[in-house]
Amino acid sequence: MRLRRRNVLWLAIIGALVALVLVSGAASTEVALALIALFGVAAFASLVEIDPRALQAGPGLSSLARMRMSPQAREAAERARRREAYAPPGLTLLDVGLISLHTSAEGMLMRRSRTISLDDNGVRPYLTLQVEPQAADRHALVRFEILDASGQTQFVHELKTYLRDGEMNILADHHLPLAGNDRLGHGDWDLRVYVDGALLGVLGFTVTPSLEARRRQIAGAAERLAQAGDSDDALTLEELMRMQNREARQ
């Protein structure tokens, strides 16, 4: 639905004529009300253009698509809606998340999770869209962003994809390396997905330290505890935990 501005001029002229009739008092109350009603109908029909394809798709398909949304997609779409009022028409976020890659004795393992370990080889975002007919048969730019606990952008990937009517699974072509990536820290991270520049979803997930980092933290805590036991000013458990958390963030 959009406005047809080319009809504004002649509609203003008709409105002025109706106003003159009303101000002159020549028309009865019933005639005046009828003129106002007719002018309102004419204004709507002249200014508003409705896309027949949108009517053909109807609200049923969108409602059905919303019922099929995963809990992660509902959460992500709601967080996106609070940040940005505009949503791409004809597109429903059915699912969104992350696929982690991990090498084991059994080979390369792939799993979908909202808890990612820094021992994993990497992580790759994905989304599932329900594309309605009025939004299909065109190219769209899909953008994935991953932000760490401090708000720093650690991953950006864009890909052009051709939207087809129905359900579409879109997986990023590249992954964010995790194991051995010294610039990454643990904590609560965010995945953001965009379609043609519009924010479609924001999903939170957790990144946990690697086993080696945890061993270092435990060893450091044990050493501080031993030192505190030998000193007169013993540290409390809360103080030790605060020190450990500060070191983990460094």
Side-chain angles (χ1 to χ4, degrees):
M1 186 173 66
R2 58 184 181 181
L3 295 180
R4 292 183 287 198
R5 298 183 179 180
R6 61 180 181 273
N7 296 331
V8 172
L9 180 59
W10 78 266
L11 192 62
I13 295 174
I14 294 177
L17 294 176
V18 172
L20 287 175
V21 172
L22 296 178
V23 171
S24 66
S28 62
T29 304
E30 292 79 4
V31 173
L33 292 175
L35 285 174
I36 295 174
L38 289 174
F39 178 74
V41 172
F44 180 83
S46 302
L47 293 178
V48 178
E49 181 178 359
I50 300 176
D51 188 352
R53 294 179 299 175
L55 293 177
Q56 185 178 5
L61 184 57
S62 298
S63 301
L64 180 61
R66 284 192 293 270
M67 291 176 60
R68 296 170 53 207
M69 294 173 66
S70 69
Q72 294 83 0
R74 292 181 184 277
E75 176 188 332
E78 175 60 25
R79 289 185 64 188
R81 186 192 63 81
R82 292 198 296 264
R83 287 168 168 78
E84 185 172 318
Y86 172 76
L91 298 178
T92 303
L93 185 66
L94 295 182
D95 197 14
V96 62
L98 297 154
I99 296 177
S100 64
L101 312 173
H102 183 72
T103 302
S104 68
E106 301 171 347
M108 180 66 72
L109 300 179
M110 302 176 64
R111 64 183 178 88
R112 184 176 66 176
S113 176
R114 292 182 66 174
T115 301
I116 308 299
S117 170
L118 289 177
D119 282 320
D120 293 334
N121 295 83
V123 65
R124 181 175 298 190
Y126 75 91
L127 62 85
T128 302
L129 290 177
Q130 175 66 39
V131 183
E132 298 184 13
Q134 68 270 24
D137 302 326
R138 65 182 180 89
H139 286 92
L141 181 65
V142 177
R143 178 182 174 94
F144 296 99
E145 292 181 357
I146 295 180
L147 284 72
D148 63 17
S150 63
Q152 297 295 317
T153 302
Q154 297 293 350
F155 177 84
V156 175
H157 178 64
E158 294 183 341
L159 67 156
K160 275 278 190 180
T161 186
Y162 187 75
L163 298 182
R164 292 180 174 84
D165 183 7
E167 184 175 318
M168 290 189 63
N169 295 310
I170 302 174
L171 178 66
D173 297 331
H174 303 284
H175 69 272
L176 171 65
L178 297 176
N181 195 340
D182 296 333
R183 61 188 176 88
L184 302 182
H186 67 277
D188 295 327
W189 291 32
D190 273 340
L191 165 64
R192 299 182 182 182
V193 293
Y194 300 79
V195 176
D196 289 335
L199 183 61
L200 206 62
V202 181
L203 182 68
F205 64 99
T206 301
V207 175
T208 61
S210 64
L211 291 177
E212 179 61 29
R214 294 178 186 181
R215 282 194 289 265
R216 290 198 300 266
Q217 292 174 16
I218 294 173
E223 182 180 353
R224 287 190 297 271
L225 187 59
Q227 293 174 353
D230 295 337
S231 64
D232 295 334
D233 299 327
L235 296 176
T236 66
L237 177 61
E238 182 180 356
E239 290 172 335
L240 286 172
M241 294 297 295
R242 282 202 299 266
M243 292 173 62
Q244 180 179 345
N245 291 334
R246 282 197 299 269
E247 289 184 358
R249 287 193 295 267
Q250 292 177 355

